[in-house]
């Protein structure tokens, strides 16, 4: 009886389902719907991690083939002693390191100028004049030292001038922010908040464990040296701080730094010397990509973690750049923030139009690129300067005629081709200047 009842109920349910489907035109067996293919631009799909991994694997394999051919043809060219000679001519003479140590004089000068200004011992005009002398000396004193001393190697000169250039940008920011603080104090503001010194950045978690500093209590040795060592170029009275030091994170970054630096030096020694035109090929670009990760991710995160510096935005998605300006404003965030805060916006306030301010930023960047290359090499060819200024018409062309993926491809082509050409020009000129002339004199 129960079996018959259950069977009758199932038949009734089946009848009702069929009736519902027929009434509402619904098919229970449908497996299709209106949708786009994943690779279509209208699909909204953006997770291409597998494709990215494939590109990385292909890049590694293609470079591995070139390295293997290089090893077979030229043998092992990696020499640790030669690496040391890049930094030192004489193991008992460390001129670049001594020059870096001297930089503390300029740091102290900036601090004591600000202390005098904070108590009114000197006028704003006098303080500005003293800061200008200090900042000018930061650029000219090390440059003159590198040009005069023959004991400084080109690599040592690059390291020393890089440190002084970073100090120049930092102390310029230090002077600006303290000046803004005095202006606020003179306007009878009760207290200073971080938004006064950098309104675009908000406090991060972990800052509550530190005392909130107001001007002029920030004018201490501890404060200025903390700013000197943290990976930023823009000064603030109260930086965002992380709550603790993550030891595992710190160790991972340290291991990355050591391994990648050895890899970069090994690739430079093994791939570059045998044949200079190889600089125009993939290995040069591969070395540049490794250097980006080593410096902007591993090294900067290591220092930030050690100093408990909370703002870790050292780069953005420059690899997705569809225009040249987007690349330059996203691949080096510390420099971009400095240019925007201390150079570009002040020029707009003074009445300069946007185009003029943008051209001035490119000109400043071109100057420092040439400064960091020509002075250590002790030859002035302006290839780096011209390469940077050439970005202006290239930016116009890409922005005007290329869009989307075509623009991104143009940016990548400029990176793959443009930078190696500039490197090759300097290598060629340096070789002609130092080695061919020496060979001719020897032959004579």
């Amino acid at each position: 009886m129960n079996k018959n009842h259950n069977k009758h109920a199932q038949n009734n349910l089946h009848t009702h389902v069929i009736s519902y489907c027929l009434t509402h035109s619904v098919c229970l067996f449908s497996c299709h719907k209106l949708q786009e293919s994943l690779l279509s631009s209208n699909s909204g799909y953006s997770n291409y991690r597998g494709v990215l991994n494939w590109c990385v694997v292909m890049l590694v394999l293609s470079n591995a083939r070139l390295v293997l051919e290089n090893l077979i043809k030229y043998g092992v060219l990696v020499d640790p002693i030669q690496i040391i000679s890049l930094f030192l001519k004489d193991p008992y003479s460390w001129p670049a390191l001594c020059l870096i140590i001297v930089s503390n004089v300029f740091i102290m000068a900036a601090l004591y100028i600000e202390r005098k200004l904070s108590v009114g011992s000197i006028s704003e005009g006098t303080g500005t004049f003293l800061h200008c002398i200090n900042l000018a000396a930061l650029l000219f004193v090390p440059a003159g030292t590198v040009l005069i001393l023959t004991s400084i190697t080109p690599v040592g000169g690059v390291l020393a001038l890089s440190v002084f250039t970073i100090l120049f940008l930092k102390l310029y920011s230090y002077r600006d922010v303290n000046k803004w603080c005095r202006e606020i104090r003179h306007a009878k503001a009760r207290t200073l908040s971080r938004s006064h010194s950098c309104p675009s950045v908000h406090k991060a978690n972990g800052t509550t464990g530190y005392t909130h500093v107001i001007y002029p209590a920030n004018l201490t040795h501890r404060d200025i040296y903390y700013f000197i060592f943290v990976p930023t170029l823009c000064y603030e009275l109260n930086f965002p701080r992380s709550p603790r030091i993550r030891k595992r994170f710190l160790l991972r970054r340290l291991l990355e730094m050591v391994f990648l630096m050895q890899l970069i030096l090994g690739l430079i020694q093994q791939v570059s010397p045998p044949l200079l035109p190889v600089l125009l090929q993939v290995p040069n670009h591969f070395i540049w990509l490794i250097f980006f990760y080593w410096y902007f991710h591993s090294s900067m995160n290591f220092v930030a973690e050690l100093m408990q510096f909370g703002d870790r935005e050292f780069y953005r998605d420059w690899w997705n750049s569809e225009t040249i300006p987007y690349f330059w404003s996203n691949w080096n965030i510390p420099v971009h923030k400095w240019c925007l805060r201390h150079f570009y916006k002040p020029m707009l306030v003074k009445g300069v139009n946007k185009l003029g301010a943008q051209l001035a930023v490119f000109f400043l960047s071109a100057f420092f690129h040439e400064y960091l290359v020509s002075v250590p090499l002790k030859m002035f060819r302006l290839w780096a300067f011209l390469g940077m200024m050439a970005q202006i018409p290239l930016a116009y062309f890409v922005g005007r005629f290329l869009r989307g993926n075509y623009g991104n491809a143009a940016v990548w082509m400029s990176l793959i081709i443009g930078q190696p050409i500039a490197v090759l020009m300097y290598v060629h000129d340096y070789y002609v200047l130092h080695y061919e002339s020496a060979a001719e004199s020897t032959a004579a």
Side-chain angles (χ1 to χ4, degrees), residues 246-363:
R246 298 168 292 178
K247 295 180 181 178
R248 291 184 178 179
F249 179 88
L250 197 67
L251 181 60
R252 287 199 298 270
R253 300 290 83 80
L254 178 61
L255 293 176
E256 287 176 355
M257 290 169 59
V258 174
F259 172 74
L260 292 177
M261 177 50 65
Q262 297 300 318
L263 180 60
I264 290 173
L265 294 175
L267 286 174
I268 291 174
Q269 280 192 305
Q270 186 63 44
V271 175
S272 300
L275 192 62
L276 290 180
V278 79
L279 291 169
L280 295 177
Q281 299 176 6
V282 177
N284 177 269
H285 185 63
F286 189 48
I287 292 170
W288 181 81
L289 290 175
I290 297 174
F291 174 80
F292 166 80
Y293 187 90
W294 173 82
Y295 185 75
F296 286 98
H297 186 75
S298 301
S299 300
M300 284 192 168
N301 271 291
F302 176 82
V303 176
E305 190 69 24
L306 196 62
M307 305 294 291
Q308 293 183 259
F309 181 71
D311 187 0
R312 308 295 175 87
E313 189 185 39
F314 306 125
Y315 55 89
R316 298 191 187 117
D317 61 334
W318 57 265
W319 46 86
N320 292 326
S321 301
E322 297 178 0
T323 62
I324 299 298
Y326 186 89
F327 167 78
W328 286 110
S329 61
N330 286 275
W331 95 281
N332 189 338
I333 295 301
V335 169
H336 172 68
K337 284 183 178 179
W338 187 93
C339 290
L340 193 66
R341 186 193 194 200
H342 297 286
F343 195 72
Y344 180 76
K345 287 184 177 180
M347 292 188 71
L348 295 181
V349 172
K350 292 179 180 178
V352 180
N353 58 47
K354 289 186 176 181
L355 178 60
Q358 290 172 353
L359 293 176
V361 170
F362 268 100
F363 185 87

Side-chain angles (χ1 to χ4, degrees), residues 394-425:
L394 179 63
Y396 173 79
F397 175 81
V398 173
R400 179 71 174 81
F401 299 103
L402 301 176
R403 301 286 181 180
N405 292 333
Y406 297 102
N408 182 252
V411 173
W412 276 111
M413 289 296 291
S414 69
L415 295 175
I416 295 172
I417 297 176
Q419 185 246 5
I421 290 178
V423 172
L424 182 61
M425 297 298 289

